[in-house]
Amino acid sequence: MSTIQPVQSQMQTEKAMYEHVIPAGDGWLHDLLPGQILRIVDMEGNQAVDTLFYSTEDPTDHYSAVRTITHQGNLYLTTGSTLLTESGKELLRITADTCGRHDTIGGACSAQSNTVRYAHDTLPMHNCRDTFMLMLSQRDEYTKRDLAPNVNFFMNVPVTPEGELTFADGISAPGHYVELLALAPVTVLISNCPQLNNPCNAYNPTPAKVLIWDAEGANANV
């Protein structure tokens, strides 16, 4: 599938209420209010930013790749995509995207998947599942049952005509970003992928940045 034309944001960086750099391999957990806008920035290019979304009002109601894909009739996420939960609730909408498309079926790396994809001696290496678990452990309302299929922002995972996944070279670049508008109270969980075995990031995990505009500030920007 070809890359969608980029859609630039109208948000002004200097008016963001929040800004944070997530080092490669680290996690980030944050609650968004309706109307707030989250921008995720691929600072150095082709860095997979594994992300989970939860309804803050019902933490068991998490992002659903199946419902989202079915609703939009497209495997990939880009500007205009509405992210739905398992119950069908609208959580967020992508309002700007300079990368072109984002994976929602490739999943997150884990100790087990690393051994299958690469080699058994990768078992002790840090991975996104570990980061997700570490971040969720900071809140009493979550357990490991709340791990769910995630979005891989900036990751390129084409599907072959036979239905197989291929982890291909990235299509992102330094400074590319995706922006999401919260349609409901939503909890965002990020694992900035520490993967050292996949050539798509040149075997070099890099930082990502997140910025947030509040609803009032967002309206003032547009």
Side-chain angles (χ1 to χ4, degrees):
M1 178 181 175
S2 60
T3 301
I4 305 298
Q5 284 296 109
V7 175
Q8 300 284 339
S9 171
Q10 298 183 36
M11 307 306 295
Q12 299 178 34
T13 303
E14 62 272 16
K15 292 186 178 181
M17 60 173 285
Y18 177 91
E19 182 173 341
H20 176 69
V21 173
I22 309 171
D26 278 12
W28 183 76
L29 183 65
H30 195 91
D31 296 325
L32 295 177
L33 297 174
Q36 290 186 327
I37 291 178
L38 169 68
R39 178 187 293 177
I40 305 173
V41 184
D42 184 3
M43 297 182 70
E44 298 185 30
N46 293 330
Q47 171 62 23
V49 182
D50 294 40
T51 309
L52 285 166
F53 300 101
Y54 300 87
S55 167
T56 306
E57 298 169 322
D58 179 6
T60 64
D61 195 19
H62 53 71
Y63 164 76
S64 169
V66 172
R67 280 193 176 271
T68 299
I69 291 169
T70 302
H71 178 261
Q72 68 176 8
N74 194 323
L75 280 176
Y76 305 102
L77 303 180
T78 189
T79 306
S81 294
T82 299
L83 281 61
L84 306 182
T85 67
E86 287 288 340
S87 71
K89 180 178 183 178
E90 295 186 348
L91 274 188
L92 308 105
R93 181 175 298 116
I94 298 179
T95 53
D97 175 20
T98 62
C99 177
R101 70 170 191 256
H102 306 270
D103 167 64
T104 192
I105 57 176
C109 62
S110 66
Q112 293 75 22
S113 67
N114 281 344
T115 63
V116 172
R117 289 178 184 170
Y118 307 112
H120 187 71
D121 58 10
T122 64
L123 185 66
M125 296 180 72
H126 186 56
N127 56 76
C128 286
R129 182 181 172 88
D130 288 347
T131 299
F132 284 151
M133 287 299 300
L134 177 63
M135 301 306 296
L136 288 179
S137 70
Q138 299 176 11
R139 298 204 181 176
D140 293 337
E141 64 266 38
Y142 295 104
T143 71
K144 69 179 185 179
R145 288 187 176 182
D146 296 305
L147 289 178
N150 60 285
V151 178
N152 292 308
F153 287 113
F154 312 110
M155 192 169 178
N156 187 25
V157 186
V159 178
T160 69
E162 295 75 30
E164 297 180 353
L165 303 184
T166 54
F167 293 85
D169 289 344
I171 59 173
S172 187
H176 280 192
Y177 59 81
V178 59
E179 219 163 74
L180 303 103
L181 168 68
L183 304 175
V186 55
T187 300
V188 184
L189 171 58
I190 286 177
S191 169
N192 193 26
C193 187
Q195 185 57 258
L196 293 168
N197 302 287
N198 194 319
C200 69
N201 64 359
Y203 307 103
N204 180 39
T206 54
K209 183 188 291 186
V210 288
L211 299 95
I212 297 173
W213 290 263
D214 63 20
E216 181 179 347
N219 291 331
N221 272 268
V222 297

